Amino acid sequence: MTAPFDPRPPTEHQFLLDGRPVPFTEGQTILQAARAAGLYIPSLCWDPRFAPHGSCKLCVVKAAGRHVSACATQAREGWEVESSTPEINDMRRGLLQMLFVSGEHFCPGCEKSGHCQLQALGYEFEMLGPRFPHFHPQRPVDASHPELVLDLTRCVLCELCVRASREVDHTDVFGVEGRGIHKRLVVNAPSGQLADTPIAATDLAARICPVGAILPKGRGFAVPIGERPYDRATIRAPIPGEEDTP
């Protein structure tokens, strides 16, 4: 049975984020409310088009005395939420350092440089060194597709491409298998090759990758280094409409 239409606007509540009031409506997460208010909480795996995923943990905040993922935690009236503190930013820096060593992220040699959210977050949180030993994983590079290349050495397992291909493109091109250090992105084709899937360069799954794992062919350096979104602005204030464009 459908609930009767209520013409009244949703009741607005408020919490504090680093001492600043943030309005929210019932059901909004801390991250949703903060972004709507123009306040930045970092994330690699969150996208407003999909349900919260909580895999990257970069949106960690302290709310009600405990550390939670801002993307998956509903805001509560009167909460005092801490985000930009030395303790939390140091945790984020550590998470970024782990992501950098878990794959091959050599920014000067990557076409995504200047568009890459992982790189931009490294700058934002002043990540000066790797801190942990490099894994140097042996993962394949799939150049079989006429329009796209898939470099799994750069994948951070945010699963944005998985959700985009399933929920927006309706192609189910990507999936994930394994657990722990054996978890990996897979292509849903008998051959395991992108060429044997219906993916196109215009699909959201091909454009949503926050790092350099999925890139278009034939467009290398179409936008020169120095003129890319994160060359001109920090990730807190990206160029509108360009932050997810390869």
Side-chain angles (χ1 to χ4, degrees):
M1 181 176 178
T2 304
F5 172 71
D6 187 346
R8 295 172 299 177
T11 304
E12 195 170 81
H13 305 279
Q14 184 174 278
F15 67 89
L16 294 179
L17 177 63
D18 293 328
R20 300 178 64 175
V22 177
F24 72 94
T25 54
E26 199 70 34
Q28 269 192 317
T29 65
I30 295 171
L31 181 56
Q32 285 175 324
R35 292 285 181 97
L39 300 175
Y40 183 71
I41 295 175
S43 178
L44 273 177
C45 69
W46 180 78
D47 186 285
R49 290 165 285 197
F50 310 123
H53 194 247
S55 62
C56 76
K57 305 303 180 187
L58 290 169
C59 70
V60 62
V61 296
K62 195 170 185 179
R66 62 193 181 96
H67 292 101
V68 298
S69 295
C71 72
T73 303
Q74 290 191 5
R76 293 288 181 265
E77 178 70 42
W79 264 5
E80 294 185 13
V81 179
E82 297 177 23
S83 176
S84 189
T85 68
E87 175 203 11
I88 292 174
N89 286 339
D90 188 58
M91 292 171 61
R92 290 171 176 154
R93 192 177 303 111
L95 289 167
L96 287 168
Q97 287 167 320
M98 285 190 280
L99 286 172
F100 267 90
V101 303
S102 67
E104 300 292 0
H105 300 285
F106 182 65
C107 299
C110 180
E111 162 58 18
K112 191 84 171 189
S113 181
H115 287 292
C116 176
Q117 293 180 36
L118 179 63
Q119 177 194 42
L121 285 167
Y123 282 120
E124 177 68 26
F125 291 99
E126 300 179 345
M127 198 199 86
L128 302 178
R131 184 174 169 183
F132 307 106
H134 281 272
F135 282 22
H136 297 299
Q138 299 299 308
R139 300 175 189 155
V141 176
D142 180 357
S144 64
H145 196 277
E147 298 179 296
L148 301 166
V149 60
L150 173 65
D151 187 344
L152 292 178
T153 66
R154 296 172 179 168
C155 179
V156 293
L157 292 172
C158 66
E159 297 187 37
L160 285 171
C161 63
V162 177
R163 289 174 281 166
S165 68
R166 180 178 62 234
E167 299 176 31
V168 177
D169 303 328
H170 306 295
T171 55
D172 262 339
V173 167
F174 297 106
V176 172
E177 69 175 19
R179 302 184 65 178
I181 63 171
H182 301 295
K183 187 176 181 181
R184 65 190 184 102
L185 184 73
V186 294
V187 174
N188 290 325
S191 66
Q193 299 287 296
L194 273 184
D196 296 324
T197 72
I199 193 170
T202 53
D203 289 351
L204 181 61
R207 297 179 290 110
I208 201 170
C209 181
V211 294
I214 305 173
L215 291 173
K217 290 182 175 179
R219 284 179 48 192
F221 299 96
V223 179
I225 297 292
E227 298 181 17
R228 300 178 177 201
Y230 301 127
D231 293 331
R232 292 177 283 162
T234 71
I235 196 167
R236 290 178 178 269
I239 308 300
E242 292 190 15
E243 58 268 31
D244 66 348
T245 305

